Amino acid sequence: MSTILAKLPAEMRSELKTPLGDVYTDADALLADAGEPIIAVGDIVTYHLLEADRTPSVAIVDGKTKRERAERDVLSAVEAFERRIEVANPQSTITDDLLGAIAEAIAETTPTAIVVDGEEDLASLPAVLGAPDGASVVYGQPDEGMVLVPVTEQSRTRCRELIKGMQSDYDRIADILSA
């Protein structure tokens, strides 16, 4: 059974609507600016990166887009990953299962899909904390495009502040991610 370590309060939702990086509508342009490894958060983002012939090192997906089931070709994108980790992560939360899977997948050399039962919308925050300097986290900005977040001390600080602003056990989160 997974433990919820962070829960997004309703009053913080608007704060998360501001992109953490530049927004791209073209996967090739995004990839030209991205560092390695690439961590994709979301089914549509993962699909677009695979369509641009780039398999992310880590893909965090939940089979949905805008809370609706993703189309078959998007869902089948997960089949590109020979390694999969399944986790539970309810809507508007970050669980210890998700954090452990992110840490494990980042450390792995084989491209890994983390398949979330629930929702992966907040996964970009711990992904930035757990990724090495120079990595890129890419997530979807609904109706706008893909957000490229270069992993730097500045982006980590912003993600740390956001998680600490939630109802969270930040010390435990940082411990799991070794952030």
Side-chain angles (χ1 to χ4, degrees), residues 18-91:
T18 303
L20 295 171
D22 293 334
V23 179
Y24 292 76
T25 55
D26 179 75
D28 290 321
L30 181 147
L31 288 167
D33 294 341
E36 289 290 334
I38 294 175
I39 301 165
V41 179
D43 296 75
I44 300 293
V45 167
T46 300
Y47 174 78
H48 284 300
L49 294 178
L50 290 168
E51 285 291 298
D53 288 325
R54 178 65 68 85
T55 301
S57 297
V58 179
I60 307 170
V61 297
D62 64 6
K64 293 178 242 152
T65 180
K66 297 184 195 173
R67 298 211 166 90
E68 299 292 324
R69 183 171 166 80
E71 294 183 25
R72 179 172 295 291
D73 55 346
V74 173
L75 291 171
S76 67
V78 174
E79 294 168 14
F81 296 85
E82 52 190 270
R83 188 167 186 275
R84 290 186 196 93
I85 303 171
E86 294 189 12
V87 300
N89 194 81
Q91 179 180 340

Side-chain angles (χ1 to χ4, degrees), residues 57 82-83 105 108-112:
S57 297
E82 52 190 270
R83 188 167 186 275
E108 178 65 43
T109 56
T110 303
T112 302

